Amino acid sequence: TSARPDLVVVGSGFFGLTVAEQVASQLDKRVLVLDRRHHIGGNAYSEPEPETGIEIHRYGAHLFHTSNERVWQYVNQFTDFTKYQHKVYSIYAGKTYSLPINLATICQYFDKSFSPSEARALVAEQAGEIDTAEARNLEEKAISLIGRPLYEAFIRGYTKKQWQTDPTELPAAVIARLPVRYTFDNRYFNDTYEGLPVGGYTAWLQKMADHPNIEVRLSTDYFDVRDQLPPDVPTVFTGPIDKYFDYEAGELGWRTLDFETEVLPIGDFQGTSVMNYADEDVPFTRIHEFRHFHPERDYPADKTVVVREYSRFAETGDEPYYPINTPEDRAKLERYRELAKKEAADKRVLFGGRLGTYKYLDMHMAIGSALSMFDNRIRPFFDEGGSLDGRLDD
Ligand code: FAD
Ligand code: UDP
């Protein structure tokens, strides 16, 4: 059926689909999108759980949030968003607390009412043992920000379970994502825009791919079909960069997740969408109850779906979820970046997305970075006939 594509995109996640959509709609070029999975959408894919009809996110809960105007305008072409605002709670030693650490958490934990300045003074005193600028690892950084007691309750056990690595051996940067607030504001994200796609993630992703210039081929591994593709066709590769180069510089380390899904014969299990479990001896890190992501929907009143999340190192064949980023990983990545540069110049292959760059990217970041790749590399290539690495051909 298919005419020769002008561009091949490997991977139908947000990165790949954004590139494909832009090339199809802005340049009127034909795009062939390949995905090895049987469905579109990469890790943002969602589907109704069959017994209850409750939308579950197959590869972990996905919350959309962004402060990037351009990304917000762009995504609103494909879906409307609900007013959902993410909030997370944490159970530690049999009590439930509010996250991220805020004035409510501090009052609950120390079992006393504090004003914002009293709480600030208390935490400053407890955090005084380590200077943030000198923190050499996650544990020191966390203690320097929130003090030892709060660290030991809410961070240490959870982080150990999530990374299966002692927090003294993790980079301090991991914790930069956890704000501490001296107000009762317990919204999880600080971004200007937040919400969930009204019709679900898969409908949104399908809308992006729904263009006469785009052909999506599912259950198709690029490495099995690359010999049959036109030899000089430009390619955007969003699969694992180490795999692309046959692990020439070694395997990059990833963390994976195991999800245990259960349908319960009750209308509400935990009263909220995400409950973290801070105790080290509880084997899972959190429980998602998916009905709470869409309180506006008409879901069954006598059934609910819960998903327990377990974290571990990825082995061959596991889904890679979070880059571990040890110093060895970063050294390997440097080598792969060199190889990628050469591949762009010699073979017109660009690498993008979470797996293609070995970077944890939120959805809005993957979309933003795909829009930049389109503007800076792909459009000039098609408009002016340059090479894909940003230089014009001689
Ligand atoms: P992916 O979605 O991973 O897509 C890559 C695609 O490439 C996959 O479909 C894969 O099958 C395909 N592929 C790989 N190799 C090949 C091959 N050889 N041939 C053909 N196809 C191939 N972001 C948020 O903004 N909010 C959240 O709450 C959030 N939660 C997350 C929770 C988890 C557990 C994870 C893992 C991620 C989360 N994210 C979240 C991040 C979000 O999933 C990513 O931003 C998004 O998936 C990035 O899209 P991508 O296209 O780069 O990669
Ligand atoms: N974290 C923690 N306790 C929590 C939640 C998060 O210690 O209850 C730490 C943990 O180290 C984790 C990091 O904060 O790796 C980032 O958490 P976030 O919830 O943003 O991670 P994600 O949802 O992306 O897995």
Side-chain angles (χ1 to χ4, degrees), residues 90 99 138 154-156 158-159 162-163 174-175 177-178 188 255 276 286 309 322 360:
S90 178
L99 283 187
L138 191 151
F154 300 109
I155 310 294
R156 188 175 61 189
Y158 188 91
T159 301
Q162 198 171 49
W163 294 92
V174 171
I175 213 74
R177 280 160 57 83
L178 258 197
Y188 208 66
R255 227 160 32 80
N276 286 1
R286 51 189 171 186
E309 182 176 313
Y322 296 96
Y360 182 87

Side-chain angles (χ1 to χ4, degrees), residues 10-16 34-37 39 41-44 59-65 189 220-223 237-240 243 257 259 286 320-322 352-355 360-364 366:
V10 182
S12 64
F14 271 117
F15 193 97
L34 307 175
D35 204 300
R36 59 203 288 266
R37 291 180 177 161
H39 61 72
N43 282 357
Y59 305 91
H62 277 63
L63 292 314
F64 188 80
H65 54 95
F189 301 116
T220 305
D221 193 313
Y222 171 70
F223 299 112
F237 183 83
T238 75
K243 169 123 199 252
L257 301 174
F259 298 109
R286 51 189 171 186
Y321 282 134
Y322 296 96
R354 203 172 52 88
L355 304 164
Y360 182 87
L361 300 174
D362 276 326
M363 292 178 279
H364 66 282

